[in-house]
């Protein structure tokens, strides 16, 4: 489920950064494939995903898209693609559509979803 603010952000991105727009749209589709009942909302300049708890977000910057995991420090990283060294958060930088597959993004999204719904 998406709302007007999400659609406006995506539309604006398409006008200003079409290459990044394609990556953001691919990420959104990938998240929906992992969590079909996901909801989206705009926060902190990006799109946060919840199903029902918040589990990740996608943010477009000037030269890349970042997939953010609020509890990323808890994720297993067998592919060594998570960046960041804070107490909680981790992210994966995406510069091309191919990065979604080469960085195994679906695996990390699925892990984050499971982690968010764990008791």
């Amino acid at each position: 489920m998406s709302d007007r603010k999400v659609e406006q952000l995506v539309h604006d991105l398409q006008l200003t950064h079409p290459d990044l727009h394609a990556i953001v749209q691919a990420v959104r589709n990938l998240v929906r494939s992992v969590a079909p009942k996901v909801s989206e909302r705009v926060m902190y300049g990006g799109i946060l995903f919840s199903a029902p708890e918040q589990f990740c977000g996608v943010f477009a910057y000037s030269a890349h898209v970042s997939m953010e995991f609020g509890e990323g420090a808890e994720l297993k990283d067998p592919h060594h693609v998570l960046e960041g060294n804070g107490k909680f958060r981790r992210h994966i930088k995406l510069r091309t559509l191919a990065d979604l597959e080469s960085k195994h993004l679906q695996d990390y999204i699925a892990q984050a979803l499971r982690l968010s719904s764990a008791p």
Side-chain angles (χ1 to χ4, degrees), residues 2-108:
S2 184
D3 69 10
R4 185 185 61 75
K5 289 181 181 178
V6 170
E7 296 310 319
Q8 186 63 53
L9 181 98
V10 170
H11 174 73
D12 292 348
L13 186 60
Q14 183 178 23
L15 295 176
T16 60
H17 295 89
D19 51 333
L20 299 180
H21 172 266
I23 297 170
V24 168
Q25 288 295 78
V27 167
R28 291 175 73 206
N29 291 333
L30 188 59
V31 169
R32 286 188 201 111
S33 76
V34 173
K37 296 183 181 187
V38 70
S39 63
E40 303 174 312
R41 69 182 170 131
V42 173
M43 194 167 211
Y44 311 118
I47 301 170
L48 298 182
F49 302 101
S50 302
E53 300 300 320
Q54 183 178 309
F55 63 99
C56 63
V58 63
F59 298 82
Y61 295 97
S62 61
H64 70 278
V65 170
S66 182
M67 191 71 186
E68 305 278 338
F69 300 97
E71 299 295 325
E74 299 294 318
L75 299 178
K76 293 178 180 155
D77 188 17
H79 308 289
H80 309 287
V81 296
L82 290 173
E83 296 183 45
N85 54 14
K87 201 175 206 179
F88 301 107
R89 299 180 62 83
R90 298 290 183 274
H91 64 276
I92 298 173
K93 287 182 185 165
L94 307 165
R95 290 184 174 83
T96 67
L97 285 170
D99 284 346
L100 277 76
E101 187 173 333
S102 69
K103 294 188 177 186
H104 307 273
L105 190 60
Q106 184 172 352
D107 296 345
Y108 293 92

